Amino acid sequence: MNFRETIGARRYCFDGLATLLAKASPRRSGDELAGLAAASEEERAAAKMALAAVPLKAFLDEAVIPYEEDEVTRLIVDDHSADAFAPVAHQTVGEFREWLLADTTDSATLERVAAGITPEMIAAVSKLMRNQDLILAARKRPVVTRFRNTVGLPGHLSVRLQPNHPTDDIKGIAASMIDGLLYGCGDAVIGINPASDSLAAITALLKMTDDFRQAYAVPTQTCVLTHVTNTLAAIEAGAPVDLIFQSIAGTERANASFGITLSLLAEAYDAGLSLNRGTIGNNVMYFETGQGSALSANAHHGVDQQTCEARAYAVARKFNPLLTNTVVGFIGPEYLYDGKQIIRAGLEDHFCGKLLGVPMGCDICYTNHAEADQDDMDTLLTLLGTANVNFIMGVPGADDIMLNYQSTSFHDALYVRRLLDLKRAPEFEGWLEAMQITDAFGRIQHQSGNPLRLNWIES
């Protein structure tokens, strides 16, 4: 299918939906690296005008990656609900944008149509939106999940406590973990990126965090962010596994570069459910994604990086995760060059995930060779807070000394909660008050002693 648009005396032609989506994307270095981006702002404007006139039904008739070549496409097509799609089936992409932003389109309505919206549809409409549109529409679509506490309620913000250590030193990780808990972080998950993939190291970390959680009856969940096959091995060895982690992407070939298939994820999902470790819910998966992952694996099929990212959320949605996290600036400036591109990508990812029914958080981050700084991260943090993001990261000093990138700190979470009056997960909030870490208003209390006892580390 060809699409045409005229601006002045110049006529633009776009060969197929994949080309049109790429040319309509806001500028980003990854699409330029792949040779997919618009050659000028005029061409980008023409592509947006043409995209606005495309019927949503066109995305059901033309797959950006062929059905026969890609299991993610097959998942998207086979799981599409015609009944859920019916209320918007008559709309164009431009009309869909107006419908999403209308006051009459409420949270319940957005939840009802989610199974009828494909990732390509939601990626398309995001390309027509300003940042404020992405924020407003995402805010209307809370996605609530549960394991040992409740994540994603409107007016709440959770934090993944990330106490990484470059040598997986148990005492060092435990000290950072306790520090984060004393700042009221950790209700999304206590999640550790291990420096080693050895089963012994992974099991030791799982046991330490679970022993601590049980010793103080912390209403949260723990996770070691290793490859899904390592977690399956840990489960077989009897390790205390709460959440099963995996990085995912939006194409079959990109997922193959991670060493996964949809059938492997299904096996892991079933294994997590069989453990029955949740107390108030059974959302057992934790996924991470990031714009540029398909391109970096040369597995993008000529599809722009933001549309590939939206397709990853179809994979996530299939397995009912507790948490899905776009690690937005982690891959580097080759894919998101500067603070402006990172901010835009973070808002896009959150919007696309939420509208598809995925519980979205964001690692608000950048690498040290990107044209970005903590002021840019403050901006994105504040914007995502207003958009009702499910969770962010809590990293000691915002500087991850194992992964060597910059993220958000324990103090950053305090800032955005105070600014926007955002609460923690209710079960976790009650525990903090009972432990006298916070007062009745959720404010951190100054301690003369340590309610979590640092000498626990020595034991």
Side-chain angles (χ1 to χ4, degrees), residues 84-330:
F85 182 55
V88 296
H90 62 285
Q91 295 178 358
T92 64
V93 177
E95 290 168 341
F96 186 42
R97 173 187 173 274
E98 298 302 317
W99 181 83
L100 289 172
L101 296 172
D103 290 340
T104 51
T105 303
D106 60 12
S107 298
T109 303
L110 293 175
E111 184 174 356
R112 285 194 296 269
V113 303
I117 304 303
T118 70
E120 291 84 359
M121 292 175 193
I122 208 66
V125 75
S126 75
K127 297 175 192 299
L128 306 183
M129 289 179 150
R130 290 172 55 185
N131 287 357
Q132 64 177 254
D133 300 335
L134 298 172
I135 293 167
L136 183 61
R139 184 178 176 86
K140 293 200 289 184
R141 180 57 171 104
V143 181
V144 180
T145 55
R146 295 174 175 87
F147 190 76
R148 288 197 191 92
N149 60 29
T150 306
V151 179
L153 291 168
H156 290 66
L157 173 71
S158 295
V159 176
R160 171 192 159 190
L161 176 47
Q162 185 171 307
N164 295 342
H165 193 282
T167 64
D168 288 339
D169 180 77
I170 291 290
K171 292 182 179 179
I173 289 171
S176 292
M177 177 181 68
I178 291 172
D179 190 31
L181 288 166
L182 290 172
Y183 278 101
C185 296
D187 50 340
V189 64
I190 300 172
I192 303 164
N193 297 93
S196 168
D197 279 332
S198 77
L199 183 58
I202 292 164
T203 301
L205 293 172
L206 286 168
K207 188 174 186 308
M208 183 275 288
T209 52
D210 193 63
D211 286 349
F212 181 89
R213 180 190 64 77
Q214 293 195 59
Y216 291 97
V218 189
T220 191
Q221 35 282 331
T222 64
C223 184
V224 174
L225 283 69
T226 187
H227 193 271
V228 65
T229 54
N230 295 330
T231 305
L232 286 171
I235 291 173
E236 291 177 7
V241 172
D242 285 347
L243 304 185
I244 298 175
F245 168 81
Q246 183 54 51
S247 295
I248 58 173
T251 74
E252 179 178 349
R253 278 169 30 196
N255 283 324
S257 75
F258 292 147
I260 61 167
T261 60
L262 296 183
S263 62
L264 178 59
L265 292 178
E267 177 187 350
Y269 179 53
D270 290 341
L273 290 176
S274 72
L275 298 175
N276 198 30
R277 289 175 60 85
T279 55
I280 65 168
N282 60 356
N283 299 113
V284 299
M285 303 299 284
Y286 175 14
F287 294 122
E288 286 191 347
T289 68
Q291 287 196 27
S293 57
L295 175 57
S296 68
N298 194 27
H300 58 95
H301 297 266
V303 177
D304 70 274
Q305 67 183 40
Q306 189 250 333
T307 301
C308 283
E309 172 72 3
R311 285 168 54 93
Y313 305 146
V315 177
R317 179 170 63 175
K318 181 68 175 178
F319 301 105
N320 302 312
L322 180 77
L323 311 166
T324 300
N325 176 34
T326 171
V327 193
V328 65
F330 184 75

Side-chain angles (χ1 to χ4, degrees), residues 74-89:
R74 293 193 289 275
L75 170 67
I76 292 167
V77 173
D78 294 348
D79 281 7
H80 180 260
S81 168
D83 289 341
F85 182 55
V88 296

